[in-house]
Amino acid sequence: MRGFSFVRLDKEGGVLLSGALKIENAAEIRMKLIDMIEKEDRVVITVGEDAEADLSFFQLICSAHRTAVRLNRSFGVASVRPQTFIRSSKAAGFLREKGCACDLMGDCVWVMGGEK
């Protein structure tokens, strides 16, 4: 089983996630995301070039966003995303034109500009 990396980038809630962002690591990734959201007003995930994400990671991102909204915090994914991540999220049906009902601040991570 290949691992993943969760590296704090700065003191403002920036995090780099890379490696196997898959079901076998989902529980640990979830715990780390919740911990960050509870401690920071704003969390921004940068997805590494070597990241391999599956459906469970995309679901974790949505869940983390909902948690942040509930706690009146900001959560997002950096606008520069690896093409493999964009293709995977598109294939999984996650890219959107507008956010879901939880997207009160207009910061849904799946609303993409010209990257569709």
Side-chain angles (χ1 to χ4, degrees):
M1 171 172 34
R2 187 169 156 230
F4 74 97
S5 174
F6 191 100
V7 178
R8 184 98 186 228
L9 294 176
D10 55 39
K11 294 182 182 197
E12 285 78 46
V15 175
L16 172 65
L17 279 168
S18 56
L21 308 177
K22 298 184 173 195
I23 190 73
E24 61 265 17
N25 298 314
E28 188 175 355
I29 294 169
R30 178 186 173 275
M31 289 173 51
K32 289 180 179 286
L33 288 174
I34 288 172
D35 185 56
M36 285 288 295
I37 292 167
E38 288 176 343
K39 291 179 180 174
E40 303 293 336
D41 289 332
R42 182 174 184 264
V43 175
V44 177
I45 302 298
T46 298
V47 178
E49 288 292 330
D50 70 335
E52 296 175 20
D54 68 7
L55 182 60
S56 67
F57 180 70
F58 303 141
Q59 291 170 325
L60 281 174
I61 294 293
C62 283
S63 178
H65 182 249
R66 284 191 305 273
T67 298
V69 167
R70 190 179 76 249
L71 296 173
N72 200 29
R73 303 239 181 4
S74 175
F75 179 86
V77 176
S79 60
V80 177
R81 303 170 190 194
Q83 285 299 312
T84 55
F85 181 79
I86 293 170
R87 282 193 298 275
S88 296
S89 56
K90 182 177 183 178
F94 275 80
L95 295 189
R96 309 175 64 112
E97 301 233 350
K98 66 178 192 168
C100 71
C102 294
D103 189 25
L104 304 176
M105 301 170 108
D107 59 355
C108 175
V109 301
W110 304 118
V111 174
M112 306 282 282
E115 300 179 67
K116 294 180 190 175

